[in-house]
Amino acid sequence: MVAALLMLLAAPLTLLAAEEPADEITLGASGSAAEPYEFSLLVGDQYRYLLSTNIAVTYSISSGDLSKIGLELAEDKISGVAKAGKELICITATAADGGPLRSAEQWIAYAVYNVLSLSGNAPTASWAGSAYSASFTITDVDPDREGETVLTLNEEAVTAGYQLSQTSETSYTLSRSAEKNVSGTVDVMVTAATAAGGISQSKTASATISTYSRVGITSLPENHQGSGLTVWLIEDESVWQYRPTAVPADAALTVSGLNDAMKWQDGVLSVERNNVFDSVKIKITATSSAGGSLETAQQELTIRNWNKVVFASAPSLSDILTTVDGRTVHAAVKADNYNYIQWKLSDGTVYENVTSIEHTFAQETEGPQEIRVLVRDEVGREKAAQISFNLENKEETPSEETPYFWLLLVIGIVAVILGLLNKPHWLLTVLGGALIVVALGSGAGVL
């Protein structure tokens, strides 16, 4: 609007007398019907133009209609709020000084252009491998022409494979092929520019478009005896676990088909291995809307918990064989199909994990005694056997001659020593030997 006003001020409507007689009015060299003054405005511009001449005149519009473009002539002023359109106006100035009839014409071509606008809805997310598309619309700045507005893309977007195509005079499509729509983030800017009527206008629309990898589960179960998605476990006291991972990062994971031995908690699948079970199919589902629409992916696992190898036969015991020697007992047993064996004696003594024992009872223990043997296998089955025997105190009562035995033995030994030492004294020696013989004979039970 400012530019238009400057142009108007630079070329005012003037009635020129030139060197003609005073009763004639001639028009300047420009502003004719063939070469009118041209003024460009934008819709909504506030327009005001003050007419002036060298003598008193009245103004009228002799050709064209200012109201079509939102303007009007009042006395010596053209003004109003411009609206779209083009109009060729002829303004006639008629002398009003009381003299002869004189007039002059001024031709003005008005062009009021639409304000440039750029609108569209560019999705800021898409899925990799799927074509991307967004629509943009511009205003028709000059309805009488085509191509007055040009749309361009920033270099980053062009390099990434985005392109603009025109579908109508005011409609454009921003697109990226499925092949080029790879995961990542691109700053995209669409610029619309026009210079219709010599008035420069530009509008931009920008968006950061993120392309996400298609939803998928990226992990495989590990630490099992199967392969791939077939999970084989073996009966055990431990717990097997699997933490699946998925793309994109915001994908939510859910699980279905669990049995009583399985649990899903905090993104971890846990399987109790202490009870065997046949094959169970479970589904892990990943869900995400990061790419602008709901996408899902599934992983199906086949899980089985196998029996471990154990002996099926029950534990067994053969007869307990014992030998009693004084206060000591020797015992042995034959056992099969077991992983634990225990001996328990009547005096409270316990032996474990041996098939034979040797045990000496305390001095004060006597009378009937028992030995119990128990064997147990890996699954808890048991077999027990027991034997009894009598423990007797066979220690003999000391002989009544025992005190005389020691006395005679000592006297005999002393006599022999004295007999040998006294030059020697054979009689004393013989007597001492006899006493020793008697003592030995009477104390045989002690020795």
Side-chain angles (χ1 to χ4, degrees):
M1 182 177 73
V2 175
L5 290 174
L6 290 175
M7 293 176 65
L8 288 170
L9 293 174
L13 175 62
T14 304
L15 296 176
L16 299 177
E19 295 181 357
E20 298 296 329
D23 57 350
E24 293 185 11
I25 304 174
T26 60
L27 190 63
S30 60
S32 65
E35 296 182 7
Y37 292 118
E38 294 181 353
F39 295 101
S40 298
L41 304 173
L42 294 179
V43 171
D45 281 352
Q46 293 283 346
Y47 178 76
R48 183 175 182 275
Y49 175 44
L50 188 62
L51 302 169
S52 64
T53 60
N54 61 334
I55 62 175
V57 297
T58 58
Y59 300 99
S60 63
I61 296 177
S62 56
S63 179
D65 186 355
L66 282 173
S67 64
K68 290 183 178 180
I69 55 174
L71 305 180
E72 66 177 359
L73 172 63
E75 297 182 352
D76 61 348
K77 180 177 64 176
I78 299 174
S79 63
V81 178
K83 64 181 183 181
K86 295 179 181 179
E87 196 71 17
L88 180 62
I89 303 296
C90 180
I91 301 172
T92 300
T94 303
D97 57 359
L101 179 65
R102 288 155 292 163
S103 65
E105 293 181 342
Q106 180 73 281
W107 292 83
I108 302 175
Y110 284 103
V112 181
Y113 297 96
N114 288 311
V115 176
L116 177 63
S117 66
L118 172 64
S119 61
N121 182 20
T124 57
S126 66
W127 292 115
S130 296
Y132 177 89
S133 179
S135 298
F136 288 89
T137 302
I138 61 171
T139 51
D140 188 359
V141 174
D142 185 355
D144 295 334
R145 294 179 56 195
E146 291 186 2
E148 72 275 12
T149 303
V150 177
L151 269 64
T152 57
L153 272 175
N154 60 316
E155 184 177 353
E156 181 181 353
V158 173
T159 301
Y162 287 93
Q163 60 182 11
L164 279 170
S165 57
Q166 188 173 11
T167 56
S168 71
E169 185 179 359
T170 58
S171 299
Y172 290 79
T173 298
L174 172 68
S175 62
R176 193 185 193 193
S177 67
E179 181 182 24
K180 294 182 178 180
N181 201 29
V182 297
S183 59
T185 299
V186 180
D187 290 327
V188 177
M189 178 180 290
V190 178
T191 301
T194 182
I199 303 174
S200 296
Q201 298 185 76
S202 67
K203 297 292 181 180
T204 61
S206 60
T208 299
I209 303 175
S210 297
T211 303
Y212 294 89
S213 298
R214 301 299 288 264
V215 176
I217 298 176
T218 58
S219 59
L220 288 174
E222 298 179 340
N223 302 318
H224 61 92
Q225 283 68 45
S227 62
L229 299 179
T230 299
V231 178
W232 282 357
L233 307 173
I234 297 176
E235 181 184 9
D236 194 69
E237 293 300 319
S238 62
V239 176
W240 178 80
Q241 292 186 329
Y242 171 44
R243 182 186 291 274
T245 57
V247 292
D250 75 330
L253 294 170
T254 57
V255 178
S256 62
L258 302 180
N259 65 11
D260 292 340
M262 302 176 186
K263 180 174 65 175
W264 173 258
Q265 185 175 0
D266 298 330
V268 177
L269 173 65
S270 300
V271 180
E272 300 285 347
R273 300 171 61 181
N274 52 358
N275 290 317
V276 299
F277 54 84
D278 290 331
S279 294
V280 175
K281 291 185 181 296
I282 69 166
K283 289 183 179 180
I284 302 174
T285 303
T287 306
S288 174
S289 299
S293 61
L294 184 65
E295 289 261 334
T296 62
Q298 286 188 331
Q299 185 179 79
E300 185 175 82
L301 303 182
T302 300
I303 303 178
R304 179 173 180 177
N305 194 28
W306 297 80
N307 293 89
K308 63 182 177 181
V309 177
V310 296
F311 287 104
S313 54
S316 64
L317 280 173
S318 300
D319 293 338
I320 304 173
L321 303 177
T322 60
T323 302
V324 180
D325 183 6
R327 310 199 65 76
T328 301
V329 61
H330 302 270
V333 70
K334 181 173 175 17
D336 294 304
N337 303 324
Y338 71 94
N339 69 341
Y340 173 75
I341 184 170
Q342 181 194 75
W343 297 73
K344 191 169 184 179
L345 282 65
S346 53
D347 65 354
T349 304
V350 174
Y351 296 94
E352 294 180 313
N353 297 323
V354 292
T355 56
S356 63
I357 63 168
E358 180 179 303
H359 180 71
T360 301
F361 288 89
Q363 185 68 30
E364 63 274 11
T365 305
E366 61 181 35
Q369 305 296 322
E370 291 182 351
I371 296 178
R372 185 174 186 274
V373 182
L374 178 142
V375 290
R376 183 185 301 122
D377 66 9
E378 294 179 347
V379 295
R381 293 174 294 187
E382 296 182 346
K383 179 72 174 177
Q386 183 173 306
I387 190 171
S388 300
F389 61 93
N390 193 51
L391 189 64
E392 298 181 356
N393 190 348
K394 297 182 177 181
E395 187 176 352
E396 296 184 0
T397 304
S399 171
E400 295 180 357
E401 299 297 324
T402 298
Y404 299 102
F405 157 72
W406 292 110
L407 179 60
L408 292 174
L409 183 60
V410 171
I411 294 174
I413 292 173
V414 171
V416 171
I417 294 173
L418 291 176
L420 294 174
L421 294 178
N422 290 304
K423 297 187 178 179
H425 197 297
W426 298 109
L427 180 60
L428 188 59
T429 302
V430 172
L431 180 59
L435 292 173
I436 291 172
V437 172
V438 173
L440 292 175
S442 62
V446 177
L447 296 175

